[in-house]
Amino acid sequence: RLFARFGVCRVVAVGLALTAASAAGVRTGGHVLLGWLTMILLGLAKTYVSYAYGWVQDEWELADEKGEFEKADRLEQRIQLMYRRAADLALRAVRAHDGTGKLDEKLKTDKVEVVKAYLAEEFTDQEDVAALYWAGLAWGSAIANSGGDLSELAHAPVARLLLERSIELDPSFNDAGGL
């Protein structure tokens, strides 16, 4: 509804302004800023995932089937970029909900048990579900479309944990899309 009413460019501009204000430490009503920031980040992440999956991947498959391999390669790179952007945006939303601010530290360990314990301890509210879901889904999609890049594949268990945590908190979220 927000995109339809104000237009994508305006919503993105507001999102960038709120993101910049947040990064600069500007206080504009705590929860209000967090709510708007999360909504915009997740809205953009959902848009990237939906567009990559619903349109660009179809184009890629058709180009590949027709033997248009240069076009297919460009589309494959575009798909990867869109999923990576979606994952980055959704992870920013997850970080916005991270009370202790240690999420990145835990993610960098790439240790499943460390990340799982941290997610269970820090992300316990219904408000965390959407960010965890879209971050896990987008990151997992980026990994799945990485062409077998081992450095990306190594992150698959951690990306899966984000999605699993969202399912633990609300298995029905997004029409049970995480199941």
Side-chain angles (χ1 to χ4, degrees), residues 3-173:
F3 287 159
R5 185 168 180 203
F6 296 109
V8 174
C9 292
R10 287 188 183 140
V11 172
V12 170
V14 169
L16 293 174
L18 288 171
T19 302
S22 175
V26 174
R27 289 275 183 204
T28 57
H31 276 313
V32 174
L33 176 61
L34 179 62
W36 270 95
L37 177 64
T38 300
M39 182 184 74
I40 291 169
L41 290 171
L42 294 179
L44 290 169
K46 285 190 267 189
T47 302
Y48 276 116
V49 168
S50 299
Y51 185 66
Y53 182 75
W55 283 271
V56 184
Q57 279 192 243
D58 283 345
E59 275 187 68
W60 169 74
E61 287 177 13
L62 290 173
D64 195 50
E65 287 175 7
K66 291 178 183 177
E68 298 171 353
F69 299 119
E70 287 182 25
K71 181 179 180 180
D73 287 345
R74 282 192 313 274
L75 289 168
E76 190 174 31
Q77 290 173 348
R78 187 173 172 203
I79 291 164
Q80 175 63 19
L81 179 64
M82 294 176 92
Y83 283 133
R84 174 56 44 208
R85 283 183 182 163
D88 290 344
L89 290 163
L91 280 168
R92 289 183 74 180
V94 173
R95 287 183 196 103
H97 289 261
D98 183 18
T100 61
K102 295 182 180 180
L103 179 67
D104 287 331
E105 175 186 319
K106 303 298 181 183
L107 291 174
K108 285 179 186 174
T109 68
D110 277 331
K111 294 181 180 175
V112 172
E113 61 280 349
V114 171
V115 176
K116 186 174 185 170
Y118 186 75
L119 292 174
E121 181 181 319
E122 290 298 318
F123 296 91
T124 58
D125 298 328
Q126 180 67 29
E127 293 174 359
D128 300 328
V129 173
L132 291 166
Y133 174 85
W134 287 105
L137 181 69
W139 197 2
S141 297
I143 293 165
N145 287 279
S146 68
D149 180 351
L150 294 178
S151 64
E152 288 289 323
L153 289 172
H155 299 296
V158 176
R160 182 178 174 155
L161 287 175
L162 295 169
L163 194 55
E164 287 176 347
R165 183 64 186 148
S166 77
I167 294 167
E168 289 170 6
L169 293 172
D170 183 0
S172 66
F173 180 77

